[in-house]
Amino acid sequence: MKDVNDSESGGRVTIFDTTLRDGEQSPGCSMNLEEKVRLARQLERLGVEVIEAGFPIASEGDFAAVRAVAAECRGARVAALCRTAEADILRAWEALRDAARPRLHTFVATSDIHLEYKLRKTRGEVLEMTRGAVRLARTLADDVEFSAEDATRSDVGYLCEVFAAAVEEGATTLNVPDTVGYTTPTEFRELVRAVRERVVGDRRDVTVSVHCHNDLGLAVANSLAALDAGARQIECTVNGIGERAGNAALEEVVMALHVRADRLPFACGIRTEEIYPTSQLLSEIIGFGVQPNKAIVGRNAFAHEAGIHQHGVLSNPLCYEIMTPESVGVPANRIVLGKHSGRHALGARYGELGYALSRAELEAAYTRFTRLADRKKNIYAQDLISLLSQETRARGPFLARAAEFEVAGA
Ligand code: KIV
Ligand code: ZN
């Protein structure tokens, strides 16, 4: 069994990707079997350690997709979700039959509000359901994760009692979900610490996991805060898709670990250059992308329009970039020409188009450019060329590809 609790600061964090399960549950994000397998392959290439492939009892399609992903992915662990009912667990196990590294992931809600209005069960009954589910799951799989749904709105004492029962029955991962995206970083850190201290103690064979939703925009912050308290698995999704406002975004979690390794000294095994291709593949499959200013993978994440910024980036990208676009698989940083751009960026773009301008030519072009940029949102290579004097145009080596070159607003 892996040693996950060797130190509270540093070590390894497991990235558990639930794009194919929680992500797929969000409106407009459904995927067919072939698409799920294609994405799962890319998740393996990305270096995800656990791929949650679906909820097999939910539908024939989910069952078939989990089977197909399990057959395809031989390196990553493949997880299947199930409630605590025997039929759920058996169905999930059947779907995982061919997996090289199967994980059964069983869950039940632990908050009083869910017990009273959704499950109509007492605390004692849910405790027994937990015991029964984990016990059965362990007769089938060595790797069993137990999640306490709505953990952040549960009574902490009761939550720890349920988790302790799951550990006694052999659960190897205890997942603390913020199902409704309600918690805050400091509160969540305290909760995870309580679970670590009261339930896991010195055991080195039980991993504490977190699964945060983004209803208050805090999913990534909450997930990272939990690392301080000893969580060593983060559940997340590509592009942050998921129920309602989504789940913690994988790319944000991973790049926070990467860029701020001084504060978050955890290895996670993700090949960061595969982040952008993975994000693009998901967008292509589900038919919509992320908002332009989305961290890490948004169209503007590495775009610089303000003149001062452009000058800085052209001199040294470190002036305004805390990571390179290449490090996440974005081909190059994009200097976007618009009304805030300065002479440096304009000169650099003319250079790319094959025109080496004198200071006076650049000045003249810049004056025309700012007038145009006030009126026109997207400025293309053709526009830039037309801003040059006839003389300069005739002199410059006209690039045949210039017409295809989209300079701004791509
Ligand atoms: O948000 C949640 O509580 C879940 C669990 C099933 C892990 O998705
Ligand atoms: Zn969830």
Side-chain angles (χ1 to χ4, degrees), residues 63-87:
F63 177 84
V66 174
R67 282 210 72 175
V69 170
E72 182 74 24
C73 297
R74 312 308 290 172
R77 295 178 190 278
V78 177
L81 186 68
C82 45
R83 289 166 298 193
T84 51
E86 185 178 328

Side-chain angles (χ1 to χ4, degrees), residues 21-22 211 213 247:
R21 199 278 297 169
D22 214 325
H211 173 114
H213 278 270
N247 289 62

Side-chain angles (χ1 to χ4, degrees), residues 67-181:
R67 282 210 72 175
V69 170
E72 182 74 24
C73 297
R74 312 308 290 172
R77 295 178 190 278
V78 177
L81 186 68
C82 45
R83 289 166 298 193
T84 51
E86 185 178 328
D88 265 54
I89 297 167
L90 296 178
R91 189 76 174 145
W93 183 242
E94 203 186 329
L96 288 175
R97 217 174 39 205
D98 297 330
R101 307 174 75 201
R103 172 176 294 186
L104 275 173
H105 178 191
T106 184
F107 77 99
V108 68
T110 48
S111 65
D112 287 336
I113 190 163
H114 277 234
L115 264 61
E116 185 175 346
Y117 296 101
K118 189 181 83 174
L119 300 175
R120 299 189 190 287
K121 300 279 183 201
T122 64
R123 287 186 177 187
E125 285 170 323
V126 165
L127 189 66
E128 284 318 304
M129 287 158 71
T130 302
R131 281 195 180 283
V134 176
R135 192 179 306 145
L136 172 60
R138 274 307 306 262
T139 64
L140 305 166
D142 289 337
D143 185 353
V144 172
E145 172 167 338
F146 170 74
S147 286
E149 192 188 9
D150 207 15
T152 51
R153 292 191 302 168
S154 303
D155 174 76
V156 184
Y158 177 63
L159 178 69
C160 288
E161 209 183 324
V162 172
F163 275 143
V167 170
E168 257 177 57
E169 299 297 340
T172 45
T173 300
L174 297 179
N175 184 36
V176 188
D178 183 26
T179 304
V180 291

Side-chain angles (χ1 to χ4, degrees), residues 8 10 38 43 46 97 110 143 145 152 184 202 206 227 233 303 318 322 337 341 348 354 364 389 391 393 399 402 407:
E8 286 203 352
R38 198 146 48 102
L43 291 172
L46 178 65
R97 217 174 39 205
T110 48
D143 185 353
E145 172 167 338
T152 51
T184 65
D202 293 333
V206 177
L227 295 175
Q233 174 175 283
L318 285 176
I322 57 168
L337 292 184
S341 301
S389 69
E391 210 176 83
R393 232 179 301 160
L399 300 179
V407 178

Side-chain angles (χ1 to χ4, degrees), residues 222-264:
N222 289 334
S223 304
L224 297 177
L227 295 175
D228 281 346
R232 290 294 178 270
Q233 174 175 283
I234 293 181
E235 303 196 355
C236 47
T237 59
V238 177
N239 294 350
I241 66 168
E243 286 276 6
R244 304 179 312 280
N247 289 62
L250 179 147
E251 59 277 6
E252 295 176 23
V253 168
V254 168
M255 289 316 288
L257 298 180
H258 199 76
V259 173
R260 295 312 309 271
D262 57 329
R263 291 274 165 170
L264 300 162

Side-chain angles (χ1 to χ4, degrees), residues 358-370:
S358 69
R359 192 183 283 259
E361 285 169 333
L362 179 61
E363 199 52 45
Y366 184 70
T367 306
R368 290 187 210 109
F369 165 76
T370 49

